[in-house]
């Protein structure tokens, strides 16, 4: 039986078309086992090392980290699902990196195209963002804004609906809108009922703390009303007295254990005007820049319903 063919580190490097330094690098990290040593203590590799080295290089072209490559090579029965999982992770990471680059590009275009006198202020705004941008401050803003006496499930659903997702490929005006939104939520609210919450947050519509007010009932009902109003917005319909408005009023009435009457509707309009907060209004204005017409914000749905209520009261007067 002929003796096994053993190659020196240089011969293996030559067969693989790589440098000796590359072979030594992977060998030192345990990815390329040696078949033995020469009498002089030099490394020797068998022909199977060539295939393994080629596999290592193929995996590295996917930009997989060396430890990840090592774990894949240790899989029994071949790469299989482990490679699929590694590739999926790499795709997610690459997608995040591409999104970050697109945000950086849009931010640079924003600065390049704006008037010189606005550049310093915009640079400060953009400097407050991460890339890709983080929505955590926006979510924190709404968690402070919402009443305390609410189920965690309902609070989470409202926060998800209220926080716009940053577009993966933003236009410069969307970068500016998100930067302004990020700066806005760090300021808190300024409306007349701000101190009434006692939370250091900001009021969300009629977020009162009196004993007859049941916030969970209100927000459960508002969800359906906003869904109906959003459908009207997507259809391009002007505000009118219909099912969406009835659901909106019913939610407010039920949260206070009163009936939906013409008198309550008049009082509701006044209460909504009183609890207006310019920061909340600005939030929805900026959030609208980050969404498409087919995805109305809760703020747009709320404005549609308020206009429908005002129109219904005006027609009845």
């Amino acid at each position: 039986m002929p003796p096994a063919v053993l190659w020196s580190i240089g011969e293996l490097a030559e067969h693989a078309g790589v440098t000796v330094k590359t072979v030594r690098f992977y060998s030192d990290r345990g990815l390329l086992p040696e078949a033995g040593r020469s009498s002089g203590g030099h490394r020797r590799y068998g022909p199977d090392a060539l295939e393994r080295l080629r596999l290592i290089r193929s995996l590295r072209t996917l930009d997989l980290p060396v430890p990840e490559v090592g774990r894949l090579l240790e899989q029994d029965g071949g790469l299989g699902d482990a490679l699929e999982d590694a590739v999926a992770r790499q795709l997610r990471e690459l997608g995040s990196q591409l999104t970050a680059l697109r945000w950086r590009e849009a931010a640079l275009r924003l600065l390049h195209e704006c008037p010189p006198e606005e550049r310093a202020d915009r640079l400060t705004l953009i400097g407050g963002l991460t890339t890709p941008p983080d929505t955590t401050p926006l979510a924190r803003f709404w968690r402070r804004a919402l009443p305390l006496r609410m189920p965690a499930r309902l609070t989470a659903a409202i926060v998800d609906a209220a926080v716009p997702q940053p577009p993966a490929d933003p236009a410069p005006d969307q970068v500016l809108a998100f930067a302004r939104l990020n700066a806005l939520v760090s300021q808190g609210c300024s409306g007349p009922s701000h101190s009434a919450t006692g939370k250091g947050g900001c009021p969300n519509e009629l977020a009162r703390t009196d004993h007859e007010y049941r916030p969970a009932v209100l927000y459960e009902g508002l969800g359906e009303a906003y869904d109906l109003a959003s459908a009207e917005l997507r259809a391009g319909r002007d505000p009118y007295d219909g099912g969406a408005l009835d659901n909106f009023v019913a939610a407010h009435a039920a949260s206070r254990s009163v009936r939906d009457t013409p008198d309550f509707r008049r009082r509701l309009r006044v209460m909504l005007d009183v609890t207006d907060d310019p920061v909340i209004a600005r939030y929805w204005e900026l959030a609208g820049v980050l969404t498409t017409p087919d995805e109305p914000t809760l703020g747009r749905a709320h404005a549609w319903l308020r206009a429908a209520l005002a129109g219904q009261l005006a027609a009845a007067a």
Side-chain angles (χ1 to χ4, degrees), residues 147-165:
L148 292 174
R149 295 175 289 162
M150 292 240 292
R153 167 196 58 80
L154 184 55
T155 296
I158 295 169
V159 171
D160 286 344
V163 175
Q165 291 306 304

Side-chain angles (χ1 to χ4, degrees), residues 178-231:
F178 196 92
R180 285 173 170 164
L181 203 54
N182 187 69
L184 182 74
V185 298
S186 67
Q187 300 172 5
C189 296
S190 55
S193 57
H194 172 47
S195 60
T197 65
K199 296 185 294 177
C202 42
N204 189 11
E205 306 313 334
L206 303 182
R208 293 164 43 189
T209 56
D210 49 34
H211 66 278
E212 74 270 15
Y213 170 58
R214 295 180 295 166
V217 174
L218 173 63
Y219 285 96
E220 287 280 12
L222 287 181
E224 183 175 356
Y226 288 159
D227 286 344
L228 292 171
S230 294

Side-chain angles (χ1 to χ4, degrees), residues 282-300:
R282 179 61 170 158
Y283 179 99
W284 291 124
E285 179 185 353
L286 293 170
V289 179
L290 299 166
T291 59
T292 66
D294 290 336
E295 300 176 62
T297 63
L298 295 182
R300 282 189 64 203

Side-chain angles (χ1 to χ4, degrees), residues 99-108 129 131 133 166-168 170 174-175 178:
T99 298
L101 287 173
R102 293 187 188 106
W103 273 80
R104 286 172 58 189
E105 180 188 20
L108 289 170
L129 295 180
T131 52
Q174 290 178 314
V175 172
F178 196 92

